[in-house]
């Protein structure tokens, strides 16, 4: 039987799918994908796949595959980094005490980049 938290994470995954975001299951401990995930850069999981992930990995967390597939670009500011220099946008706290700044994808390739500023990645 799923715990309330597991059910909330499962429902959030389905909500992200309905919002046209691509999601994948990740380990709660390591944040690493629990499945081969490259195909989800070009297609969305089905509700059936998401259900199967939660059956196979009951304590899974979810990650949004950013980029064109989800229409999002995320700026990752690690703990201790500043978000003051970025345009205001939807912002979430990370498990490590940093921030994710969510922007609309511009419709052209946006490569991953590390250390674009101190403690900031894309």
């Amino acid at each position: 039987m799923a715990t309330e938290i597991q059910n909330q994470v499962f429902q959030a995954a389905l909500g992200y799918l309905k919002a046209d975001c691509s999601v994948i299951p990740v380990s709660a401990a390591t944040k690493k994908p629990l499945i081969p995930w490259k195909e989800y850069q070009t297609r969305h999981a089905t509700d059936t796949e998401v259900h199967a992930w939660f059956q196979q990995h009951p304590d899974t967390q979810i990650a949004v595959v950013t980029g064109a597939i989800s229409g999002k670009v995320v700026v990752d500011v690690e703990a201790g980094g500043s978000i003051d220099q970025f345009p205001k946008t939807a912002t979430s706290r990370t498990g490590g005490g940093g921030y994710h700044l969510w922007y609309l994808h511009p419709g052209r390739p946006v490569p991953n980049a590390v250390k674009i500023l101190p403690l900031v990645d894309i």
Side-chain angles (χ1 to χ4, degrees):
M1 175 183 275
T3 68
E4 181 60 30
I5 290 174
Q6 291 166 327
N7 189 49
Q8 288 175 1
V9 175
F10 174 70
Q11 293 301 322
L14 296 179
Y16 280 121
L17 283 179
K18 287 182 186 198
D20 207 28
C21 290
S22 181
V23 297
I24 59 169
V26 296
S27 165
T30 66
K31 298 192 269 182
K32 293 184 188 270
L34 296 170
I35 60 164
W37 66 275
K38 296 287 184 180
E39 70 183 280
Y40 300 101
Q41 291 178 313
T42 58
R43 78 166 184 90
H44 291 86
T46 65
D47 289 4
T48 302
E49 287 173 307
V50 173
H51 188 271
W53 296 338
F54 279 82
Q55 291 296 313
Q56 294 168 354
H57 310 282
D59 62 341
T60 192
Q61 294 292 308
I62 55 169
V64 173
V65 179
T66 57
I69 187 70
S70 294
K72 309 286 185 278
V73 174
V74 173
V75 176
D76 180 17
V77 180
E78 299 297 329
S82 173
I83 62 172
D84 296 337
Q85 68 271 30
F86 296 103
K88 300 293 181 208
T89 189
T91 303
S92 58
R93 291 297 298 232
T94 67
Y99 297 92
H100 282 164
L101 306 170
W102 294 78
Y103 295 97
L104 293 177
H105 190 273
R108 59 178 164 70
V110 178
N112 291 341
V114 294
K115 299 188 190 301
I116 62 166
L117 293 169
L119 303 173
V120 178
D121 303 329
I122 296 180

